[in-house]
Amino acid sequence: YQRRVHGLQQFEEAVAKRLAALLASIETGASARAERAAAVDAAQAAVDAAKEAHDTSGATLAQVKSEQHDCEAAKEEAIHAIKAAAPGLKAASTRLEEARERLTGFQEGPLAAFHELKDGALTAMDEASEAAEQAPAMDEAAEPAGADVSAATAPAPADKVVDLQAAMPEVSMVAVAGA
């Protein structure tokens, strides 16, 4: 009987040891389980964030594709507008070149002649004015000392101005144009 009791005690001790080991394993497993649960939660949060970023990126991609389509349509319209404007631009360039040629012809022809006449007329007027100023000075030198000074400083008679205009019509034209 003692053998049996002893065997039974050994069996109970072995079961108790095994039960303690299992309980220790369960406790260790529980903490590992909590760690794995935390890792699963973190991974799920990362997956959720990635899904949200994917959805946002998808919406942004759709918007960008729509804008790209609009830009391509605008580019095509601009190309068509350029092609449509090319003949008009060519005609305008031709008209511009013709107008420049006419302007150059005018500047070298009639305008140059006008400036030559104007400069010649002003020179003639200056010479006539100088001659008129010198003539009274010559008259004063020729007059006796008691002569009337007011006559020397009086303006030129109107018949001399008329004669000057008749002799130089371009001067009278410049004078009328300048007046």
Side-chain angles (χ1 to χ4, degrees):
Y1 168 78
Q2 286 211 343
R3 230 170 138 190
R4 279 186 180 176
V5 173
H6 183 53
L8 192 53
Q9 282 178 348
Q10 284 180 344
F11 176 73
E12 284 179 1
E13 286 176 9
V15 169
K17 284 182 184 179
R18 183 73 178 146
L19 183 61
L22 288 174
L23 288 175
S25 176
I26 289 173
E27 286 180 23
T28 305
S31 64
R33 181 177 164 204
E35 289 174 9
R36 286 189 302 271
V40 167
D41 289 343
Q44 186 62 44
V47 167
D48 292 343
K51 281 182 180 179
E52 185 176 325
H54 179 265
D55 293 343
T56 302
S57 296
T60 303
L61 177 64
Q63 181 181 0
V64 168
K65 282 186 176 183
S66 173
E67 290 174 4
Q68 180 185 12
H69 181 267
D70 293 345
C71 288
E72 287 175 358
K75 179 184 91 171
E76 290 299 320
E77 287 178 23
I79 288 172
H80 290 298
I82 289 171
K83 287 179 181 178
L89 180 61
K90 192 170 187 176
S93 295
T94 303
R95 288 192 310 270
L96 175 64
E97 190 59 35
E98 291 170 355
R100 282 184 179 161
E101 289 173 7
R102 286 193 315 267
L103 176 63
T104 301
F106 174 76
Q107 288 173 336
E108 292 173 355
L111 186 61
F114 169 76
H115 286 296
E116 287 177 18
L117 290 173
K118 178 179 146 188
D119 293 342
L122 291 177
T123 303
M125 286 177 56
D126 289 341
E127 289 173 359
S129 174
E130 287 176 16
E133 288 175 4
Q134 289 176 358
M138 293 176 144
D139 290 342
E140 286 178 11
E143 287 182 13
D148 186 21
V149 176
S150 63
T153 59
D159 61 338
K160 286 188 178 179
V161 173
V162 172
D163 290 343
L164 179 64
Q165 289 177 349
M168 299 175 64
E170 65 273 359
V171 173
S172 63
M173 294 301 287
V174 171
V176 170

